[in-house]
Amino acid sequence: MRSIFLEFLLAFVATAQSAAVPSSHVLHEKRDPASSKQWVRREKLASTEILPMRIGLKQRNLHRGHDFLMDNSHPDSANYGKHWTSSQIIDMFAPEQKSVDAVQEWLDGFGIGPRRVSRSQNKGWLAFDATTEAEESLLHTEYHHYEHRSLGHTTLACESYHLPKHIQEHVDYITPGIKLFASTKNRRNLKRGFAAGELSTCDEFITPACIRSLYNVPEIPEYAKTGPRVDNSMGVFEEGDFYSPKDLEKDLFFANFTPRIPRGTRPIPALIDGSDLHTDVLWAGGESNLDFQLAYPLIFPQNITLFQTDDRYYAATAGPRSGFFNTFLDGIDESYCKYSAFGETGDDSKLDPKYPDPMVWGFQGKTMCGVFKPTKVISISYGGQESDLPAYYQQRQCNEFMKLGLQGHSVFFASGDTGVAGAPRPLLGKDRCLGPNSTIFSPAWPNTCPYVTNVGATKVFPNRSVRDPESAVVDPPGHPWRVAYSSGGGFSNIYARPDYQKHAVSKYLRDHKPPYPCYESISNSSFDKHGGLFNRLGRAYPDVAANGDNIVVYINGEFQISGGTSASTPIFAFLINRINELHLNAGKSTVGFINPALYSHPEMLNDITNGTNPGCGTAGFSAAPGWDPVTGLGTPNFPKMVKLFMNLP
């Protein structure tokens, strides 16, 4: 009887506390209405529903992360190439004990004692389960279901939440929180039909021979003479898309373009959280086939590691979850697994995949944490928009990329296929742009993170050869793709411009001033009130470019052409993997985070000066001499890149 009365009293207190925000509390996060126009708020969550709460603590020294990374990645630094260990990363950035103690004391006041709370491996998160009613009381908020207007996907979130004033300084952000998210793949639709040709047809069909000729890449890598290192496999991320071994086999792609690659050559599977390999040709995916058919001709006999994430159920619905990339980061870094409570380990049970999965073909194990060793080069052709997620969430994920860079890893992202806009809304076919009138340019995520390398797309002009300068991709609707395609690029609304690119970007803005008004603000929700279309202070992207149009692929046993920055990205990444092999064979470290070296030595790239990236009712930005927000610093000149990097420690 006493316990029943106590539960009633706690419930009454919780209801009273959530009714109004006391003066002791402050607003911690509030969603920008412009970022959620495609989401409809539905019914309120039941008060008894159990939610997993994760409190991200403010980590120490994150403000020094940029300097640490520049210290071991800038070619002029005495510490270039001296990469960190994972234990050094944890020790440097772990939150202060006073933050842990302050937050726990706050939770104690709500009956959430230390025995209910667990701490993540990287020491950055506190996690526990609680009812919706208890969490609403704790944060003075309300949780609702949200439905995406066009995709139909659902998630849960709140509009805003509050923290005690003395607690706010210790907390980064909290989930479930304000984030709503729908991701996209940066790949074009496929066009059927292809007649095999040689270099004379590279303006129509890009083959491995065309790529090698464009960027002066020897067909047989130098390391092929002695054999590649087994620990220098190239990493490729895939979600919800599967490569077809039969399309790679000797009688298909390899036989036509690289007969030296033997039958049976396949990537090393790193299958995360119940992901599967669908070997039937009917499962062949354009994204995965494109990645591997571009990769092997450039790096063989070096191998490729396939980081395939999530089981069939989650893979089939990949995209609307806020934890996109998180299961991958969990899988390669045990410390990144943020949530652990009551014997279960994993991510947000409402927004991220939840394992064990009770669905048919569901993965019956727990979320994998640190099971696979990350490769030193990772190519990722998926992403979304900055406006899809709150800044806190993106910054925390960005810090993981910074930590990977400190340990000598190079992470490449496709810059996007819709110019200065977001990907078109399904069914509506309209650009996704920002602001009340949908006119403000929409930067991509996680592309604007300063610690990744972005790759834009170029093409060979019609009736030109591989020896002529390339152009930025600008393909109007129907020529040849169903929808318009142009290389993604622009300026962040979250991240300030990093030091390594300040000179190059400032020069572009001064010498090739875009014909649009701009604003100056580092905030995902603070857009200019006077018609500015882009943030001239933000981290600029892309960093580099490579060919991404009219790429020949084999899909379902047929020749087709494909394209997108998802083609450009693996091309550039694979060349860095080849350079890593040369570095390692010379007794050097891997090249790690390459942006400082790229911007310090742009002469190792082919400058692209033609093309634009239209979107949001404008012609977008224009390519120009030097860096530009369409093709970055330019395309690879492999011999020059090898010479530069081999002259570094």
Side-chain angles (χ1 to χ4, degrees):
M1 189 67 137
R2 181 179 179 183
S3 63
I4 294 175
F5 175 75
L6 179 60
E7 289 179 7
F8 172 80
L9 179 61
L10 289 174
F12 175 80
V13 172
T15 301
Q17 285 181 321
S18 61
V21 180
S23 60
S24 59
H25 285 57
V26 292
L27 178 68
H28 192 67
E29 280 195 284
K30 182 179 181 180
R31 188 186 315 112
D32 173 24
S35 70
S36 56
K37 290 189 296 184
Q38 282 297 297
W39 294 88
V40 179
R41 190 173 74 175
R42 298 303 189 190
E43 70 276 8
K44 192 177 182 297
L45 265 66
S47 62
T48 57
E49 186 166 353
I50 301 298
L51 300 180
M53 177 174 253
R54 298 181 299 174
I55 301 177
L57 302 174
K58 288 282 181 66
Q59 296 185 44
R60 291 180 302 119
N61 298 319
L62 286 177
H63 65 288
R64 301 174 63 190
H66 175 273
D67 293 340
F68 290 146
L69 184 55
M70 295 307 105
D71 187 48
N72 76 2
S73 61
H74 197 287
D76 295 337
S77 171
N79 290 319
Y80 177 84
K82 296 179 181 179
H83 304 309
W84 293 23
T85 65
S86 59
S87 59
Q88 287 176 306
I89 295 289
I90 291 175
D91 291 342
M92 178 58 70
F93 298 108
E96 294 183 3
Q97 186 59 41
K98 69 177 183 180
S99 294
V100 180
D101 295 341
V103 173
Q104 184 59 65
E105 183 179 358
W106 168 51
L107 296 177
D108 288 341
F110 284 80
I112 304 170
R115 297 186 65 179
R116 284 183 59 185
V117 180
S118 63
R119 193 173 180 187
S120 65
Q121 292 288 333
N122 70 350
K123 303 181 182 180
W125 290 82
L126 298 180
F128 58 90
D129 288 348
T131 64
T132 299
E133 184 175 53
E135 292 197 20
E136 289 180 338
S137 172
L138 193 67
L139 301 177
H140 294 280
T141 189
E142 286 189 353
Y143 286 103
H144 288 257
H145 291 282
Y146 287 79
E147 182 179 2
H148 197 276
R149 294 180 187 272
S150 54
L151 298 176
H153 297 302
T154 60
T155 188
L156 64 89
C158 58
E159 297 285 344
S160 63
Y161 63 89
H162 302 77
L163 294 174
K165 293 176 182 178
H166 72 286
I167 293 298
Q168 186 178 37
E169 65 177 298
H170 301 293
V171 174
D172 192 349
Y173 75 102
I174 291 176
T175 65
I178 67 172
K179 55 182 176 285
L180 301 168
F181 172 63
S183 75
T184 58
K185 300 177 184 178
N186 293 322
R187 174 174 58 85
R188 312 312 307 149
N189 296 325
L190 296 169
K191 177 183 178 182
R192 299 186 178 277
F194 168 72
E198 294 300 326
L199 295 180
S200 62
T201 60
C202 290
D203 60 327
E204 298 179 80
F205 309 110
I206 294 291
T207 65
C210 297
I211 295 170
R212 290 194 299 269
S213 182
L214 279 168
Y215 307 130
N216 299 310
V217 182
E219 180 176 5
I220 309 297
E222 182 178 322
Y223 54 77
K225 302 172 184 176
T226 57
R229 288 174 175 261
V230 295
D231 61 348
N232 190 37
S233 179
M234 166 74 200
V236 174
F237 168 92
E238 302 290 353
E239 168 98 28
D241 191 278
F242 307 93
Y243 87 97
S244 166
K246 292 182 179 179
D247 286 332
L248 288 178
E249 295 283 352
K250 192 171 182 178
D251 57 337
L252 296 175
F253 189 85
F254 289 160
N256 278 274
F257 301 113
T258 50
R260 66 186 179 86
I261 301 178
R263 174 188 285 273
T265 299
R266 299 180 182 181
I268 302 167
L271 307 180
I272 300 173
D273 296 339
S275 59
D276 199 359
L277 293 179
H278 299 288
T279 56
D280 193 304
V281 71
L282 295 177
W283 280 90
E287 183 65 54
S288 300
N289 271 19
L290 176 66
D291 286 335
F292 297 118
Q293 291 174 21
L294 281 168
Y296 277 115
L298 291 178
I299 67 170
F300 186 83
Q302 187 52 273
N303 211 339
I304 302 169
T305 296
L306 164 61
F307 293 106
Q308 188 87 40
T309 57
D310 295 318
D311 65 18
R312 295 189 187 188
Y313 170 73
Y314 285 114
T317 58
R321 300 185 306 279
S322 61
F324 202 64
F325 304 128
N326 276 350
T327 47
F328 165 61
L329 294 173
D330 287 341
I332 64 173
D333 181 2
E334 183 177 5
S335 71
Y336 195 76
C337 283
K338 306 183 185 73
Y339 174 63
S340 179
F342 301 102
E344 295 290 336
T345 299
D347 291 301
D348 189 313
S349 64
K350 294 296 181 181
L351 303 177
D352 295 330
K354 183 179 181 181
Y355 301 111
D357 182 358
M359 301 295 291
V360 178
W361 299 312
F363 176 52
Q364 298 304 304
K366 296 179 182 179
T367 299
M368 292 182 175
C369 296
V371 174
F372 298 103
K373 182 180 179 180
T375 54
K376 290 299 184 180
V377 176
I378 301 170
S379 176
I380 302 176
S381 296
Y382 299 70
Q385 304 303 119
E386 273 191 350
S387 58
D388 291 331
L389 294 162
Y392 280 122
Y393 182 84
Q394 298 179 61
Q395 288 164 335
R396 193 147 190 106
Q397 198 168 74
C398 182
N399 285 331
E400 176 68 7
F401 295 127
M402 177 265 289
K403 294 172 185 178
L404 286 171
L406 279 170
Q407 297 172 80
H409 300 276
S410 308
V411 183
F412 294 84
F413 275 93
S415 72
D417 299 346
T418 51
V420 297
R425 298 184 180 100
L427 303 179
L428 298 179
K430 298 180 180 179
D431 288 348
R432 279 201 297 158
C433 302
L434 306 178
N437 300 317
S438 296
T439 56
I440 299 174
F441 299 167
S442 178
W445 160 84
N447 306 78
T448 54
C449 171
Y451 310 123
V452 303
T453 303
N454 286 271
V455 187
T458 57
K459 66 181 297 182
V460 176
F461 274 112
N463 302 315
R464 300 290 181 87
S465 76
V466 292
R467 294 305 175 194
D468 295 315
E470 291 182 86
S471 169
V473 170
V474 187
D475 290 343
H479 302 279
W481 316 107
R482 181 176 57 84
V483 296
Y485 163 36
S486 60
S487 182
F491 299 82
S492 175
N493 288 319
I494 294 177
Y495 304 101
R497 187 167 305 137
D499 289 342
Y500 62 75
Q501 66 169 194
K502 281 184 176 179
H503 175 73
V505 177
S506 296
K507 188 175 187 302
Y508 172 82
L509 293 173
R510 182 186 68 244
D511 298 346
H512 310 283
K513 185 178 179 181
Y516 315 114
C518 60
Y519 53 93
E520 297 183 351
S521 176
I522 301 300
S523 170
N524 196 33
S525 59
S526 298
F527 300 122
D528 185 66
K529 304 299 183 182
H530 306 289
L533 300 187
F534 71 95
N535 180 20
R536 63 176 286 115
L537 298 183
R539 190 277 205 244
Y541 75 102
D543 302 297
V544 291
N547 196 281
D549 208 16
N550 298 320
I551 309 289
V552 174
V553 292
Y554 239 129
I555 306 290
N556 293 324
E558 294 183 356
F559 278 123
Q560 303 178 12
I561 60 169
S562 184
T565 52
S566 59
S568 316
T569 305
I571 290 174
F572 206 101
F574 298 139
L575 296 183
I576 295 301
N577 207 71
R578 282 181 68 155
I579 292 173
N580 271 350
E581 190 76 33
L582 298 175
H583 249 232
L584 292 169
N585 285 330
K588 301 172 182 283
S589 65
T590 55
V591 297
F593 181 56
I594 65 171
N595 288 17
L598 292 172
Y599 282 89
S600 296
H601 295 278
E603 69 275 7
M604 62 176 158
L605 300 162
N606 305 313
D607 195 10
I608 305 300
T609 60
N610 185 75
T612 60
N613 56 356
C616 300
T618 73
F621 298 108
S622 297
W627 180 89
D628 58 69
V630 187
T631 60
L633 296 167
T635 60
N637 186 312
F638 189 64
K640 290 184 178 181
M641 292 174 67
V642 169
K643 182 178 179 180
L644 186 283
F645 281 108
M646 291 307 292
N647 283 330
L648 295 176

